[in-house]
Amino acid sequence: MSAETDARTGTHSGTDPGSSRIHNIGYRAYEGQRLGRAYARRSLYSQTLRGAYGLGRSAKSKVLPMILLAVMCLPAAIVVAVAVATDLKSLPMDYTRYAIFTQAVIGLYLAAQAPQSVSRDLRFKSIPLYFSRPIERGDYVLAKFGAMASALLILTGVPLLILYVGSLLASMDFVEQTKGFGQGLVSVTVLSLLFGGLGLVVAALTPRRGFGVAGVIALLTISYGAVSVLQAIASTTDRTDTVQWIGLFSPITLIDGLQTAFLGATSSFPGGAGPSAGVGVVYLLAVLALISGSYAVLMSRYRKVGL
């Protein structure tokens, strides 16, 4: 035993301590720049946003988001082609109406990508690994929330840009089209924040992606279907005031009512009975409460799973 070499210290047992040697096995301290939390947060945001369109992932992962983006843009391209070919003086569809018209596509995209953004981290229990780096719970939630909202803004904003460029090519009134385009962008920005937050909350409740997809679809379709039926019933009984208040209980009708009250949009409510400016304030407060509430729920959720 006294002649054996200690592999860890490089010394011979029983020899003089003064003959000990330290072997250099190649490790050395990191002397580069420490990029910190801000860089980590930006990287997580960028990675999530790219992943929402399959960039940096397999070809199979790109198929669905790219198809849905193309489907979102197709009606806008058709509208522009018709407007240019027939020499129309205004677009046959308002900018603020486009997201309402394509709400089913938006819902499918959100149902597919919200679980993709958060479910894998939960399923593979990688959240504690994120938080072992210079990134905190708030950084993670902010990056995911921002990336999902940005992905939805791209999905809903690109068709509006096609409509706007097409209207200018058709020599339509610049001021009118710019105003309509700006109103449309405000509408889809609020929609992206609202839908992104709600979608992430539902997806973050379960590590199973399939359950997340079903949950997001159920949230959007069931609420919209129930609200539409109740509004139709109220409209047939001449309760036009009730129609406005029922619209508070579905994400898409919240956006519809908000843009009707403040952005000059035409309402999709039965009989066109959109909310007045007074009721619109309630819509605005409800939207802000849901967005901030979604963020708070996500923070609470990741307080538990990040341990």
Side-chain angles (χ1 to χ4, degrees):
M1 291 295 293
S2 62
E4 293 181 354
T5 303
D6 189 329
R8 291 177 297 176
T9 63
T11 63
H12 291 279
S13 302
T15 61
D16 186 352
S19 64
S20 299
R21 296 190 303 273
I22 299 176
H23 294 277
N24 182 359
I25 58 176
Y27 294 111
R28 61 180 179 179
Y30 176 73
E31 299 177 353
Q33 181 184 3
R34 302 284 180 176
L35 299 177
R37 287 174 53 193
Y39 178 82
R41 185 168 56 244
R42 289 194 303 271
S43 298
L44 184 58
Y45 166 84
S46 174
Q47 179 191 40
T48 305
L49 178 57
R50 285 166 52 84
Y53 285 95
L55 303 178
R57 297 168 55 198
S58 65
K60 180 181 177 181
S61 300
K62 298 178 176 65
V63 174
L64 182 59
M66 292 303 178
I67 288 178
L68 292 177
L69 179 61
V71 171
M72 281 290 294
C73 294
L74 182 60
I78 293 174
V79 168
V80 167
V82 171
V84 172
T86 58
D87 197 24
L88 294 178
K89 299 303 179 183
S90 62
L91 292 173
M93 177 183 292
D94 293 337
Y95 293 95
T96 50
R97 295 284 304 147
Y98 198 88
I100 306 299
F101 176 72
T102 57
Q103 60 175 293
V105 182
I106 299 171
L108 286 175
Y109 179 86
L110 180 64
Q113 299 307 319
Q116 173 64 33
S117 297
V118 296
S119 294
R120 290 192 303 171
D121 291 342
L122 294 171
R123 185 166 66 252
F124 298 119
K125 303 185 185 302
S126 58
I127 301 297
L129 185 60
Y130 276 111
F131 295 167
S132 68
R133 298 295 180 181
I135 187 172
E136 297 182 0
R137 176 168 47 93
D139 299 319
Y140 182 88
V141 172
L142 185 62
K144 292 291 183 178
F145 199 124
M148 194 70 255
S150 297
L152 286 171
L153 184 57
I154 292 172
L155 183 76
T156 55
V158 170
L160 299 187
L161 182 61
I162 293 174
L163 289 175
Y164 180 62
V165 172
S167 69
L168 298 183
L169 291 176
S171 301
M172 296 181 187
D173 185 75
F174 176 79
V175 175
E176 179 183 351
Q177 295 303 317
T178 301
K179 178 182 177 182
F181 178 59
Q183 291 172 333
L185 281 182
V186 171
S187 176
V188 297
T189 299
V190 176
L191 181 147
S192 300
L193 289 170
L194 177 62
F195 277 43
L198 294 175
L200 288 180
V201 166
V202 174
L205 294 178
T206 173
R208 303 294 295 273
R209 184 180 178 185
F211 291 161
V213 171
V216 173
I217 291 176
L219 172 66
L220 298 180
T221 58
I222 293 177
S223 63
Y224 177 69
V227 165
S228 297
V229 169
L230 292 175
Q231 284 182 325
I233 294 173
S235 178
T236 57
T237 57
D238 295 327
R239 292 181 161 182
T240 55
D241 291 340
T242 306
V243 171
Q244 303 178 54
W245 295 107
I246 294 175
L248 290 167
F249 297 96
S250 168
I252 193 64
T253 53
L254 270 174
I255 298 299
D256 192 326
L258 187 66
Q259 67 182 16
T260 300
F262 298 112
L263 298 177
T266 302
S267 177
S268 298
F269 292 179
S276 61
V279 180
V281 173
V282 181
Y283 273 71
L284 177 60
L285 293 175
V287 169
L288 294 177
L290 284 174
I291 294 173
S292 58
S294 298
Y295 184 82
V297 171
L298 288 171
M299 290 289 286
S300 176
R301 171 62 171 159
Y302 284 101
R303 181 183 295 112
K304 298 177 181 178
V305 299
L307 298 177

